Amino acid sequence: MNKNMTALVSAFARAYHSKKSDVKIYDDTLAEKILTNREYESIKKNMTDGINFFYPSFCGTEDEALDRIVYGSLAPSPLGRAAFANSSLKTAVNIGTEQYIVCGAGYDTFSCRRPEWALNLKIFEVDKKEMIKDKLLRLKEADIDVPENTEYIALDCSEENIGAALLKSKNFDKSQKSFFSLLGLTYYISQKDFEKTLNDFSQIAPVGSSVIFDYPEKSGSEDFKKHSILAAAANEKMLSEYLYSEIEKILSKNGFLIYEHLTPDEITDRFFSSYNKANPDKNIKALDGVNYCLAVRQNI
């Protein structure tokens, strides 16, 4: 499988939602443009062909099967995470945050279509070298301009010090409040690397800076087990699960205090309710066993 398949499927889910839904959970208007037609159609076919894996008792047309897979399995995580990031970042910017660091940015397109409230925000996208190279090529081929205040930093968070890499940038200012995103990453890194990354952040971010992430709970959720199988098939083995008490302890140890914590029911209620009211026949709910967290840097 393509080494970036997880990121491609996430982009497909955002593109499908933006293209097909009148009520938007999160409107990524550029997601479809960075996928080739062949990739988009291939993912569509693979998902439809796999309907029995997702829903063994399903009976319906191919279009109905695709809707069921996208809104039942593929879209909840990328759409929910994006909506959570957008909402939390907007609040942070309104109270003085000037830098946005997206770790494991993948094919996220926020920096290329930023809203008015984020126009002056400095954005740093952190990912592996091959991912950044591929993304920049896709943006170029889609004729999408990269804003001058967006910088790409190539590194592997599990092997290199993200703090040191950011400090090498002439654009990064450790005296300015920063907003760090680890959304979609804690699954694939060890607890040791998660703690190390938080410690890196605490060394380069002033009090009032924020970090957001989602994490799999030690719950044995069947939904999460299916996603683990799909991730493993895409060479993305999931490594970590946490109890809330462990998350709280890890954050406190590294200078962060939980400001907001959302369970699946709370995520569904906050980010999916408007869409669900407009689409009672294809409701979407947050993935069982996965929580969202926003934490703020405190005095140590």
Side-chain angles (χ1 to χ4, degrees), residues 98-144:
E98 299 178 83
Q99 301 179 136
Y100 180 28
I101 298 89
V102 191
C103 300
Y107 299 119
D108 178 81
T109 66
F110 177 83
S111 68
C112 299
R113 51 177 177 78
R114 70 183 70 183
E116 187 174 347
W117 56 264
L119 288 179
N120 296 319
L121 194 63
K122 290 187 289 185
I123 298 179
F124 302 84
E125 293 199 8
V126 181
D127 216 320
K128 294 181 179 179
K129 184 177 180 179
E130 57 270 23
M131 172 60 83
I132 290 176
K133 182 179 179 181
D134 182 50
K135 180 175 182 176
L136 289 174
L137 178 61
R138 289 171 183 272
L139 292 174
K140 182 179 180 180
E141 291 178 343
D143 199 25
I144 298 171

Side-chain angles (χ1 to χ4, degrees), residues 124-228:
F124 302 84
E125 293 199 8
V126 181
D127 216 320
K128 294 181 179 179
K129 184 177 180 179
E130 57 270 23
M131 172 60 83
I132 290 176
K133 182 179 179 181
D134 182 50
K135 180 175 182 176
L136 289 174
L137 178 61
R138 289 171 183 272
L139 292 174
K140 182 179 180 180
E141 291 178 343
D143 199 25
I144 298 171
D145 294 329
V146 177
E148 291 183 2
N149 46 351
T150 297
E151 181 176 344
Y152 296 89
I153 296 178
L155 62 74
D156 186 331
C157 291
S158 65
E159 298 177 3
E160 302 171 72
N161 187 308
I162 186 172
L166 285 166
L167 290 175
K168 288 179 183 178
S169 167
K170 64 180 181 180
N171 299 312
F172 185 82
D173 186 343
K174 67 181 296 185
S175 70
Q176 294 179 343
K177 284 184 182 178
S178 296
F179 186 95
F180 299 93
S181 172
L182 290 171
L183 290 168
L185 277 187
T186 62
Y187 314 81
Y188 307 113
I189 60 176
S190 67
Q191 180 174 324
K192 180 180 178 181
D193 288 333
F194 179 42
E195 291 195 48
K196 175 181 173 294
T197 301
L198 290 172
N199 184 259
D200 288 349
F201 294 164
S202 71
Q203 300 303 313
I204 63 169
V207 170
S209 295
S210 308
V211 59
I212 58 169
F213 58 93
D214 52 337
Y215 72 92
E217 193 173 17
K218 292 178 180 176
S219 63
S221 160
E222 288 302 316
D223 278 356
F224 187 72
K225 286 178 182 178
K226 285 186 178 181
H227 280 260
S228 297

Side-chain angles (χ1 to χ4, degrees), residues 31-32 38 41 73 90 110 113 117 153 205 219 232-233 244 247 260 295:
E32 186 179 10
R38 183 176 180 180
E41 293 303 320
S73 296
K90 184 176 182 180
F110 177 83
R113 51 177 177 78
W117 56 264
I153 296 178
S219 63
Y244 174 83
I247 289 292
E260 185 170 37

Side-chain angles (χ1 to χ4, degrees), residues 65-85:
L66 186 60
D67 260 1
R68 182 74 180 274
I69 291 171
V70 170
Y71 288 108
S73 296
L74 298 188
S77 288
L79 292 181
R81 288 195 298 248
F84 180 55

